[in-house]
Structure formats: C-alpha cells, structure tokens
Amino acid sequence: MSRRPLAGGLALATAGTAFAVATTSSSAAAPAHQRARESIVIAHRGASAYRPEETLHAYQLAAEMGADYIEPDVVTTKDHVLVARHDNWLADTTDVASHPEFAGLKKTKTVDGVQRTDWFTEDFTIAQLRTLRTKERLPDVRPGSSAFDGLDPIPTLEEVLAFARGHHVGVYPETKHPTYFRSIGLPLEDELLKDLAKYGFKGRNDKVFIQSFETANLRELRKKTSIRLIQLIDTQGNRPYDFVVNKDPRSYDDLVKPDGLKWIAAYADGIGPAISRIIPVDANNHAGAPTTLVRDAHRAGLDVHPWTVRPENNFLPAEYQQGDPSAPNFKRAEGDASRYLADLYRLGVDGIFSDDSALAVSTRHRVFGR
C-alpha cells in the first residue's frame, strides 16, 4: 500500500486503484480542518468490537474509550417498556432458544416487508425479557466478544440513559421499525421522548440525537421536540419503509440529491449515511473516488454522521485491509481502520459511528490534534 499527500487533500493508491480524498469546503460549510471541533465519535451499539452489542458492559467500555455518544437501538416489549436491541427479533443476540418456557412464543411475522420466524420483543413482558441473557451477534468474526456471552440481560432504555448521565456521555437512540410498531399499537416515539426527558435529555442543547431510517416519524417528532434529529440513509437502491407503505416512489438515492437534502433539512438536523455513500465501493470491494455528499449536505445546512467503521478486514474496503487474504483468520483480523477513519475525518464529516471508539478517538486526535 502507498499513500502520498496532494494539495488540498489526500491520495490513496492500492492494488492498482487510486483516488483522492479532498477536504470539503463550500460557502455553507467550513473546510474540514475548521469543522474538526464538531466531529463526534458515536459508539455504535457500544464497544461492539469487544463486547456483545447493546449491553451495559458494551456501553461502559465505549465510555471508557472516550466516545462522545453511545447508541441504543430502541424497540419495545409487550407492556410498552423500551429496551435496547438492534432489532425486535431475539435469536441472534440472546439465549432465547435455550428457554423452553418461551418455545410457544416463537412466531413467523413480517417486519418491514420481510418475513421472519423468531422470537420478538413485543411478545414478551419486560419481566420475561429480563430472564434472557445476551450473546455476541457475530461470533465467527468476533470470537473474543463471545467470551462475554451470558453476562448481561437486555438493558432497558432507562438503564442506558441513567448510565449515560452517570458517565457524562451523550445518547444517540435509533427508533427501530417505527411503522411496524405503530401498526401493532406500540408506537415508540412518545415513550422515547418521555424516557429522554426523565433523564434530562429534552432539547437541542442537550447531548442527544434521535435517528431513524424512516422519515414520517422524524417529521412527526419535529413537531413535538427540539431535540436534534438525524435522517439515516441506507445503501443504494433501498427505500424508507414508510415510503413503501405510503407508495412514495422516492428512494434513498433521491434523498441524497440536492433537492432531497433540502427536503430533509426542513425537519432534520443532519443525515447518517452508509459510508459507501461517501466513499463508494465497487462489486469487487474496491474503494472509488469520494462522492460530493458531504459537501452537498453541508450546503443544505445538514451535519453528516456516517456509519459504521468496524476494525476487522471483513468490513473494510480492499484498500484498507491488511494481511494475507488466504489466511484462515483474514476476515477477523484487524485492517487499517485508522486510515479509513482519517480519510472520513478529512472529508469533513461531523461525526462517525464506530465499533471501536478508542480507535476513532485516537485517530481524531492524530488528524486534528484534539
């Protein structure tokens, strides 16, 4: 691998592929080095590279690593208690399959248009859910994290908020499957605002963001709160599920165009795009030239918080992988995620979701001196 600086940015050349990462500037956005004070590190479901995700141990480690915000994904129980889980199904992150008393709760449901057979949080009371224990979702890639399987119950959102207050970190909750939960009479948004307010997260000056892949619930939230809102942007070709339900023909591809960003800016404070929207990758996992999304979003007055930098080769473009691809442990080996983070910082992003907060914080310090 080779890397050499160019005027106004950074050039990368690897395996015959070269692209330039230029600092972002416009009349509406300061250059990247001037925006560095705004770059935040968001612990993606906690310290997910090292502990089972969305557990208090994962959030504690992320706080110790220096994360500015911790991210709980929010779903609900049958008795409408909000809990932190990546999705409302449970088999891949808990030991529910080993609880014979819950065998009858295994069901086939359609969530966001996709049929799945599993156990679902909305069929459990909070008392029942708390008897489960969490486990690593990606044991083949993160066997070290699997050593912590069975230690933690599923945390309630209130527990996460209390932890954040006690450890002086911000919170960045995501509403998961909001159209689905509203359709079954368990809407998330009012309960979320109530829990946040209970722990002092009430407005735009507080250390809190609310994010969603859907648009309708964010637009409704804007009428109820001044908390900063982030419109998540999925990868190419996908659509917000509320667009599917409401027969809105637009896709996320439309939302990242200037007119789409202007529309988002009417209700949200920023976007959370997949990193491939900023540094695209081709079918062979090679990185291409950066897009103009950061610049375009800044011109629309929106912050940009891309997701997610993970340290393992399995999740990195080829240009940032390290080691022998034929080695049996290549995918789980750590790549050059620090360089990946540095390139994103230099492109002017305002924050980054990372599974390794310590790496994101140390890279920010290396790039910006803070």
Side-chain angles (χ1 to χ4, degrees):
M1 297 184 182
S2 64
R3 179 171 59 175
R4 61 186 178 84
L6 291 178
L10 175 73
L12 304 177
T14 305
T17 300
F19 61 92
V21 178
T23 49
T24 302
S25 62
S26 73
S27 59
H33 70 278
Q34 294 180 18
R35 297 179 65 86
R37 296 180 187 278
E38 302 170 31
S39 289
I40 58 174
V41 170
I42 307 141
H44 182 242
R45 310 175 202 163
S48 300
Y50 303 96
R51 299 290 188 274
E53 63 190 33
E54 316 245 29
T55 62
L56 289 180
H57 276 111
Y59 294 128
Q60 179 178 346
L61 183 56
E64 292 170 353
M65 288 176 164
D68 300 301
Y69 288 77
I70 56 175
E71 183 211 24
D73 295 313
V74 178
V75 296
T76 185
T77 64
K78 182 179 182 178
D79 43 352
H80 220 175
V81 176
L82 301 187
V83 296
R85 279 297 83 192
H86 179 241
D87 288 292
N88 57 326
W89 51 86
L90 295 165
D92 57 355
T93 63
T94 76
D95 63 356
V96 65
S98 66
H99 285 255
E101 67 273 26
F102 298 135
L105 292 181
K106 189 175 185 180
K107 299 179 181 179
T108 298
K109 298 187 178 188
T110 300
V111 180
D112 294 359
V114 178
Q115 190 176 84
R116 186 180 186 94
T117 300
D118 211 305
W119 290 263
F120 297 87
T121 60
E122 66 269 19
D123 295 324
F124 289 71
T125 66
I126 186 60
Q128 291 173 320
L129 201 66
R130 294 283 285 183
T131 65
L132 307 181
R133 289 298 177 267
T134 58
K135 66 179 184 180
E136 171 56 42
R137 187 172 60 90
L138 303 169
D140 293 340
V141 180
R142 293 172 171 171
S145 180
S146 297
F148 299 90
D149 287 0
L151 292 183
D152 287 271
I154 294 173
T156 64
L157 178 61
E158 285 205 48
E159 287 177 319
V160 178
L161 298 176
F163 171 84
R165 272 301 179 204
H167 290 76
H168 309 290
V169 294
V171 289
Y172 206 122
E174 178 186 344
T175 58
K176 301 294 292 195
H177 315 297
T179 292
Y180 169 79
F181 278 116
R182 183 167 294 278
S183 75
I184 62 171
L186 292 170
L188 303 173
E189 291 75 21
D190 287 346
E191 293 300 313
L192 173 58
L193 292 179
K194 183 168 65 177
D195 284 355
L196 288 170
K198 183 176 179 179
Y199 291 89
F201 299 103
K202 299 178 180 179
R204 68 178 301 103
N205 294 323
D206 295 313
K207 206 169 179 182
V208 56
F209 294 87
I210 297 174
Q211 55 178 328
S212 180
F213 277 104
E214 295 187 21
T215 75
N217 68 324
L218 290 182
R219 286 181 279 139
E220 285 300 311
L221 279 166
R222 176 50 69 225
K223 301 173 184 177
K224 299 178 178 181
T225 182
S226 64
I227 287 174
R228 291 168 293 177
L229 305 178
I230 300 294
Q231 178 65 64
L232 295 174
I233 304 290
D234 209 345
T235 52
Q236 280 79 0
N238 292 327
R239 299 169 65 197
Y241 189 64
D242 59 302
F243 282 10
V244 175
V245 171
N246 296 321
K247 296 181 171 51
D248 188 320
R250 292 176 297 170
S251 69
Y252 289 110
D253 292 345
D254 296 303
L255 295 186
V256 297
K257 295 175 181 177
D259 285 348
L261 294 169
K262 183 179 179 181
W263 182 76
I264 291 172
Y267 64 87
D269 300 274
I271 59 170
I275 293 175
S276 61
R277 293 278 186 182
I278 297 173
I279 300 177
V281 292
D282 64 19
N284 295 314
N285 196 36
H286 286 291
T291 69
T292 62
L293 180 56
V294 176
R295 181 200 67 192
D296 295 343
H298 285 165
R299 284 177 172 170
L302 295 165
D303 282 350
V304 182
H305 300 166
W307 50 272
T308 300
V309 175
R310 298 177 168 101
E312 297 92 351
N313 283 328
N314 187 64
F315 304 110
L316 295 170
E319 285 72 19
Y320 300 92
Q321 294 175 347
Q322 296 185 133
D324 180 0
S326 66
N329 292 330
F330 175 75
K331 287 189 175 182
R332 71 174 63 159
E334 291 193 4
D336 196 357
S338 180
R339 184 159 60 89
Y340 198 31
L341 285 158
D343 290 340
L344 287 163
Y345 283 133
R346 290 184 175 113
L347 281 167
V349 300
D350 305 284
I352 293 180
F353 285 85
S354 177
D355 283 5
D356 186 340
S357 295
L359 187 65
V361 170
S362 64
T363 302
R364 180 177 64 183
H365 178 74
R366 176 169 60 83
V367 172
F368 297 120
R370 63 174 290 272

